[in-house]
Amino acid sequence: DNPGYELRSQTMFGSTLEKNPNIRHLLQQTLQRTLNNRFCYIHADTTPKNVLLENSSVSFIDFEAGTYGDPAQDVGIMLAHYFLLIWKHPSLKEKYLQSAETFLQSYLSSIHFKLPKKRFLRNIKNDTAAMMLGRVDGAIEFDYLKPHQSEVRILVAKILRTDINNFHELFGIIRRSFS
């Protein structure tokens, strides 16, 4: 096992399980699916700070958490960071959502292997929620979220409890939460 990936798992699931008994079973299901759905190499730290852009070229850095895993985790981590940044800069909400949508569409259009669409969608949704919760209740908390912890927890519970049929519905949940 990769110690960098173990830190990522602790960030997403560690103390969040104890601190959120009302959604513990949903977090445990998400963790179990993440551990059981390993079928390709993932970066496992796909945050905006680890992506470099130059002209039309994209490069990733910071590979110490990389492991064989569920690609939905990479997507969920990135989406979570864009969504959380809305609390830091509310006036940039649409720009963060547009960046998240652009990332998601670029990712989906560049996949060269078959994904189980419905399961992949569910896993992205749940991994996004788990990472968001990890940034208020996990091993690595974001200071700018401290005044918004209860709002994040409410949003995460809503995301985990809602079945969605497409990514538009996930983005709709986020947009309505900041209206």
Side-chain angles (χ1 to χ4, degrees):
D1 284 315
N2 178 343
Y5 183 75
E6 294 303 318
L7 176 61
R8 168 59 61 220
S9 292
Q10 283 301 312
T11 301
M12 290 176 72
F13 299 106
S15 58
T16 61
L17 293 168
E18 294 89 43
K19 292 181 179 179
N20 296 278
N22 60 328
I23 56 171
R24 180 180 299 135
H25 67 287
L26 297 170
L27 292 168
Q28 288 171 326
Q29 287 174 354
T30 301
L31 174 59
Q32 201 55 51
R33 287 180 185 134
T34 298
L35 296 175
N36 291 340
N37 198 36
R38 294 179 173 202
F39 64 91
C40 70
Y41 179 81
I42 64 170
H43 185 278
D45 195 13
T46 49
T47 61
K49 67 178 177 50
N50 289 335
V51 180
L52 304 176
L53 304 172
E54 182 180 8
N55 300 321
S56 62
S57 178
V58 178
S59 300
F60 286 88
I61 60 171
D62 198 9
F63 287 91
E64 77 265 1
T67 191
Y68 192 71
D70 183 351
Q73 192 172 16
D74 274 346
V75 178
I77 291 168
M78 182 69 89
L79 294 180
H81 281 80
Y82 280 121
F83 297 159
L84 292 171
L85 283 166
I86 297 169
W87 271 292
K88 187 173 187 175
H89 303 288
S91 65
L92 298 176
K93 173 180 86 171
E94 287 306 317
K95 292 204 182 280
Y96 286 128
L97 290 172
Q98 181 181 13
S99 295
E101 288 172 339
T102 299
F103 164 76
L104 179 61
Q105 293 309 316
S106 297
Y107 184 92
L108 294 174
S109 69
S110 67
I111 293 174
H112 300 293
F113 52 89
K114 186 149 176 71
L115 289 169
K117 189 173 181 173
K118 185 73 173 166
R119 187 172 70 199
F120 188 59
L121 174 64
R122 180 202 59 214
N123 290 356
I124 288 173
K125 172 188 73 83
N126 292 344
D127 285 333
T128 299
M131 176 52 71
M132 291 173 71
L133 192 60
R135 293 308 189 191
V136 297
D137 287 333
I140 301 173
E141 298 177 4
F142 287 171
D143 288 339
Y144 71 86
L145 292 172
K146 287 193 187 303
H148 307 286
Q149 287 176 327
S150 63
E151 296 167 77
V152 173
R153 290 182 191 116
I154 290 167
L155 177 55
V156 164
K158 183 173 191 160
I159 292 170
L160 288 172
R161 290 184 175 126
T162 304
D163 289 327
I164 60 171
N165 296 306
N166 55 57
F167 292 110
H168 179 75
E169 292 177 15
L170 174 61
F171 280 80
I173 292 169
I174 301 301
R175 276 193 170 84
R176 286 187 300 276
S177 295
F178 289 97
S179 296

